[in-house]
Structure formats: structure tokens, C-alpha cells
Amino acid sequence: MKIDIVERNYDVGVRLRTLIEKKVEKLTRYFNDNATARVVCAMEGKRFKLELTVSNKGNIYRSETYGENMYENIDIVLPKIEKQIIKYASKNREKLRKGAMDIPTFEYLEERPEEKEKTIYKHKTFDLDPITVEDAKEFLENVGHDFYVFLNAETGKVNILYNRKDGELGLIECVY
């Protein structure tokens, strides 16, 4: 597994880098050699943020956490990633290493997570009238949801405006 460690306003020392590589490398039991892991270590204000993304054959497993320090953060995100891998193993077995799920123990979890099939609870349909990003910001605030889907009047493309965890806004532009 290729492991890429990215520093954002934070200096990952040799000791932490070695620890991250050692712990993330344990996930190779689930993947073939072509998997990649990207670990982002960032300092946001006074908070330590660690983000781990593992990609393998088109599947992406991602987790992030904020904490007191990076050493605790890595121990928080790894079980979350392993839970995602195990949870979706039945659907993506052909994309995992052969025999990866045959071992009865896990690296970071005590027991197999419960698999619960989610159903679509609600279905909505709405018209997309062209509006500007500025109008979408206002609508997002008014509707009180975490996101707002709209047709961007300037680009003619479907956009999603969403509230980020850091309090800022994010904009996704759909390309088709």
C-alpha cells in the first residue's frame, strides 16, 4: 500500500510519521498492492485534525477527526476505516485481498460491525430554477438544511452548496 502523508499548518515529525505508516500499513491485510492511503495532518486553530482516505479499485474509505493530538487522532480514525471496510466487504469482496475476511480477528475492532440495510425513507422531487450562488447561500440559510441543490445560473450546471464542519460553506459542481 502506498501511504502519502500531507502536512497542513502542522509539522509531522519523524516519530509520528513512522507511527502513522506502521499503523496504516496494517490495513494492507484487506487490500492488494494497488491500494493507496492519504493521511492529512492539519492544525485548524487550536485543534488537531487528522483525515485518512484509503482508495482501492474505485472504492474510497474515509474518516476524519479532531482531537487533542495527532497520536490520539490516528487511533480514532483507524477503527472507523476498518469498520467501513468490513461493513462493505460483502458487496465489494472482489475488490479486497483474497481471504482478507477469513481471519476471525480484526486489526482495530473488537468484533464485526452489525450490517444493517438502509432503505430510502423519503423521496423528494423539485424543479431546479437557475439561481446565482449568492441566492443559493441565502436559500441554504433559510431552509435550515445542511445542503442546498440548485441550478447555477452562471454555469448552467447542477451545484450543491453545503455547510462544512468548520462553519464555512462548500460548493460541489456536478460535471456531466
Side-chain angles (χ1 to χ4, degrees):
M1 175 184 295
K2 180 182 179 268
I3 301 171
D4 183 26
I5 299 175
V6 179
E7 302 170 326
R8 290 197 184 135
N9 298 327
Y10 182 82
D11 180 30
V12 176
V14 175
R15 183 172 159 229
L16 180 59
R17 181 177 297 276
T18 304
L19 180 71
I20 289 172
E21 289 172 348
K22 179 182 172 187
K23 289 189 173 204
V24 172
E25 187 68 33
K26 289 182 179 182
L27 295 176
T28 58
R29 74 178 265 187
Y30 298 111
F31 304 110
N32 295 318
D33 295 335
N34 57 351
T36 60
R38 184 170 189 257
V39 182
V40 178
C41 297
M43 190 72 175
E44 292 185 359
K46 294 182 180 179
R47 301 183 324 168
F48 295 91
K49 176 183 176 186
L50 190 133
E51 179 182 311
L52 173 60
T53 306
V54 179
S55 5
N56 178 56
K57 295 183 181 178
N59 284 355
I60 295 176
Y61 307 94
R62 184 181 179 285
S63 179
E64 71 178 50
T65 190
Y66 294 87
E68 298 294 317
N69 63 60
M70 292 299 179
Y71 293 93
E72 289 177 8
N73 287 352
I74 192 68
D75 290 335
I76 292 170
V77 297
L78 284 167
K80 290 179 180 180
I81 293 288
E82 187 174 40
K83 183 177 179 179
Q84 291 175 28
I85 294 166
I86 294 163
K87 187 175 177 183
Y88 296 107
S90 59
K91 296 177 187 174
N92 301 317
R93 191 167 293 277
E94 72 282 352
K95 295 182 179 183
L96 296 176
R97 180 184 292 255
K98 187 175 180 171
M101 293 301 163
D102 297 342
I103 303 167
T105 60
F106 305 108
E107 291 296 331
Y108 300 103
L109 297 175
E110 298 292 323
E111 60 187 34
R112 180 178 293 275
E114 184 180 317
E115 291 185 38
K116 182 182 175 190
E117 184 77 24
K118 290 187 179 182
T119 59
I120 297 173
Y121 177 74
K122 197 174 201 178
H123 179 88
K124 289 185 176 183
T125 309
F126 56 93
D127 294 327
L128 291 177
D129 294 324
I131 62 172
T132 65
V133 174
E134 290 303 315
D135 288 339
K137 286 180 188 178
E138 192 175 310
F139 291 149
L140 175 65
E141 192 174 310
N142 291 341
V143 296
H145 294 303
D146 291 331
F147 67 93
Y148 187 77
V149 180
F150 66 100
L151 184 62
N152 190 322
E154 296 164 4
T155 65
K157 296 187 178 184
V158 174
N159 287 193
I160 302 164
L161 185 66
Y162 65 96
N163 289 314
R164 294 172 36 97
K165 290 179 183 176
D166 62 6
E168 297 294 327
L169 295 174
L171 181 69
I172 299 171
E173 184 175 82
C174 300
V175 181
Y176 40 91

